[in-house]
Amino acid sequence: MSARRRLGARWRRRRPLRTRLALAAAAAVALVAVGVCVAAFLVIRYKLYQQLDQNLTQSATLIAQQRNFDDEPGVVTGECRYLGAPACSQIVPADPADDPAKPYLLPVAASTREVAKGQAAPYYTSLTLHGRPTRMYTTHYGKGDAVQVALRADIAERGVRQAAGLLSAVGGAGVLLSGLGGYWVSRTGLAPVARLTATAERIAATRDARHRIELPPGPPGGEDEVTRLAASFNAMLAELEKSVTAQRRLVADASHELRTPLTALRTNAELLARADRLTDTQRERASGALARQLREVTGMVNDLIELARDEEPQPLLEEVRLAPLVAHVVDAARGHWPQVPFTLHVTPDAEALSFPGVPARLSRLVTNLVDNAAKFSPPGTPVEVSLSPAGLTVRDHGPGIAAEDLPYVFDRFYRAEKARALPGSGLGLAMARQIAHAHGAELTAEGAPGGGALFRLTPPG
Ligand SMILES: Nc1ncnc2c1ncn2[C@@H]1O[C@H](COP(=O)(O)OP(=O)(O)OP(=O)(O)O)[C@@H](O)[C@H]1O
Ligand SMILES: [Mg+2]
């Protein structure tokens, strides 16, 4: 890295963004202010001297018109000493041998002789005469002489000095104002960023995702980029808070729900530890109960893990066709529940029904619905699964769901009074709805006409 870039990098690291923005804005405005002042100064100076030079040219022409070319060289007019007679002129021959006895007023140089000989072009000079600023014009005259005309340049010089002073003051004020402006721009422009930073820092320090960034009032859609960033930051915080709360509730629910089966497990295990004091029947019953409870707890823990996993970012979605997926699930259920007759009806226009999703999760959803229907069906009554473009329905002829239970069946660990005798932990429907929502689909429960429960999965769109 070059030394300059390293210096730049260190500068960026040390200064906060606000200072850098203030300095950059101020520098840009200051540069323009100073540039304009310098340009104005140059124009004023040029104009003042141009006027002076025009006067000198006119005087030289006048001398050429009014005088005889045979005149002796030497001083023509004036002294250039007093403001009352600010002009003076002299004629200089090409050859120094022809110089008059009296001294010249204005300085004569080799270049003057060259102009007299016609070898050089006329020119202007700025010089100091009798301690005063003077402007002089040297041009060809007659048959081999040069005429030099001079004018005191006090007024032009004073004008230039005054312009310099005034423009310096204006430029200085401009630089000062640009500094203030830069500071103001960076303060107001970066205020939302400062709020965002403060909130992010507060969250990092307190680990509390309930904080939000204050947004300026105004209609949505008309915000600037920083406000939009703050709004999406707030949205992200809301999601984070929701997910943290959900995880916390899941852990709380799980630990609460696991306590009962674990206590029963421990009781049975302690009972079996004193197996020598039990009769054979007692021992068998205890070990049977232990095995069943172990299965239940294992199932519950597996479901919990699945529920928790569903809140992680989804793996890549693929286009899932529902008809083959449902057929596969129903086939598997037939193996599981041999005493339950399953019917599957797919309307022709639903054969190609598909939406983006994760196949394994969707089969889990359908399996949970079909398993419930089979579990709650009296033996021999059918479970009807049908797929149409409107969605999937799973219907059984069991006891159905009581109206007071309907709002709760999708809650974690919720089991209706009548269902408590059957195996299960109350996680199946919670998981099913979670999967449905993750896919943008809707899952609802209702009482089927003529008795039994009816679950309806409506695909997204
Ligand atoms: N087809 C159904 N008929 C009647 N009640 C049902 C039906 N499906 C679900 N329910 C009621 O909803 C409750 C929750 O169902 P869910 O599938 O979440 O839990 P579960 O089947 O009891 O246990 P798990 O599915 O975790 O093994 C059930 O306990 C039951 O009361
Ligand atoms: Mg279930």
Side-chain angles (χ1 to χ4, degrees):
M1 208 198 285
S2 76
R4 235 177 76 199
R5 272 179 53 198
R6 218 176 307 137
L7 208 73
R10 198 180 316 149
W11 193 79
R12 274 197 296 279
R13 224 178 304 127
R14 285 231 187 103
R15 316 266 158 168
L17 179 63
R18 191 195 294 179
T19 317
R20 272 188 280 148
L21 190 74
L23 286 178
V29 179
L31 211 69
V32 171
V34 170
V36 167
C37 288
V38 167
F41 172 74
L42 290 177
V43 168
I44 290 171
R45 195 179 65 172
Y46 172 77
K47 278 284 162 197
L48 284 172
Y49 276 104
Q50 194 190 34
Q51 218 163 25
L52 202 63
D53 291 351
Q54 263 171 9
N55 288 347
L56 285 170
T57 324
Q58 272 167 12
S59 302
T61 319
L62 219 63
I63 291 171
Q65 283 168 354
Q66 287 171 354
R67 293 187 71 91
N68 210 328
F69 287 135
D70 301 332
D71 277 349
E72 286 297 307
V75 175
V76 181
T77 49
E79 280 186 56
C80 280
R81 192 185 278 273
Y82 310 104
L83 259 183
C88 56
S89 54
Q90 64 188 19
I91 292 166
V92 180
D95 190 355
D98 299 336
D99 276 350
K102 270 174 67 187
Y104 286 118
L105 267 177
L106 300 164
V108 174
S111 52
T112 320
R113 308 282 183 193
E114 273 173 28
V115 172
K117 281 180 210 156
Q119 286 170 353
Y123 62 89
Y124 297 94
T125 344
S126 292
L127 57 133
T128 310
L129 204 66
H130 313 300
R132 302 286 177 187
T134 309
R135 186 89 171 150
M136 180 174 82
Y137 177 52
T138 306
T139 186
H140 187 73
Y141 173 78
K143 292 193 195 87
D145 295 331
V147 66
Q148 287 183 303
V149 193
L151 259 175
R152 273 183 60 175
D154 302 51
I155 293 170
E157 198 84 337
R158 200 181 321 135
V160 169
R161 257 203 317 278
Q162 276 173 355
L166 261 170
L167 287 172
S168 302
V170 170
V175 168
L176 204 77
L177 279 178
S178 67
L180 290 174
Y183 177 72
W184 179 80
V185 161
S186 78
R187 255 196 91 89
T188 51
L190 291 181
V193 177
R195 281 203 297 273
L196 205 141
T197 314
T199 310
E201 281 169 354
R202 213 173 320 129
I203 291 165
T206 58
R207 295 172 158 250
D208 184 351
R210 277 174 307 179
H211 295 286
R212 293 287 179 280
I213 301 164
E214 233 180 273
L215 295 178
E223 309 99 342
D224 56 33
E225 291 83 347
V226 178
T227 311
R228 282 216 304 278
L229 174 66
S232 35
F233 190 75
N234 277 350
M236 189 189 78
L237 284 176
E239 282 303 313
L240 187 70
E241 190 194 345
K242 220 159 65 187
S243 136
V244 167
T245 317
Q247 291 283 2
R248 265 198 209 126
R249 220 178 34 226
L250 178 66
V251 170
D253 288 356
S255 56
H256 180 259
E257 292 299 322
L258 276 169
R259 209 166 293 148
T260 319
L262 281 178
T263 312
L265 248 173
R266 204 180 56 210
T267 315
N268 278 316
E270 280 168 1
L271 199 65
L272 280 174
R274 298 187 305 253
D276 47 333
R277 281 187 247 159
L278 298 179
T279 63
D280 279 355
T281 352
Q282 280 174 327
R283 206 180 310 133
E284 253 167 48
R285 203 183 304 144
S287 68
L290 189 70
R292 199 182 60 248
Q293 283 154 354
L294 263 177
R295 262 200 312 278
E296 268 178 25
V297 170
T298 312
M300 197 192 271
V301 168
N302 284 341
D303 285 354
L304 274 173
I305 290 170
E306 283 238 11
L307 262 174
R309 191 184 299 141
D310 200 62
E311 281 166 12
E312 287 172 11
Q314 291 282 347
L316 270 182
L317 301 183
E318 54 182 273
E319 199 65 23
V320 182
R321 281 186 56 208
L322 273 188
L325 185 136
V326 172
H328 188 261
V329 169
V330 170
D331 269 349
R334 283 191 181 117
H336 254 101
W337 311 88
Q339 76 284 16
V340 179
F342 288 92
T343 65
L344 172 61
H345 178 68
V346 181
T347 60
D349 48 352
E351 285 287 354
L353 186 65
S354 73
F355 61 87
V358 186
R361 308 291 300 150
L362 287 170
S363 358
R364 187 64 211 246
L365 189 169
V366 182
T367 305
N368 285 1
L369 297 184
V370 172
D371 272 354
N372 276 353
K375 186 164 72 175
F376 291 103
S377 287
T381 57
V383 166
E384 293 149 21
V385 181
S386 31
L387 184 64
S388 73
L392 175 80
T393 56
V394 178
R395 188 244 153 107
D396 61 58
H397 294 269
I401 304 167
E404 64 266 27
D405 291 327
L406 259 182
Y408 307 110
V409 287
F410 291 103
D411 287 357
R412 274 197 299 249
F413 301 111
Y414 185 82
R415 300 169 73 203
E417 199 74 47
K418 278 182 272 174
R420 306 245 163 101
L422 291 166
S425 52
L427 287 174
L429 285 182
M431 193 187 301
R433 181 167 262 185
Q434 197 180 54
I435 295 168
H437 283 179
H439 285 81
E442 195 50 69
L443 178 63
T444 52
E446 60 201 80
L454 175 71
F455 284 86
R456 199 185 289 281
L457 177 72
T458 317

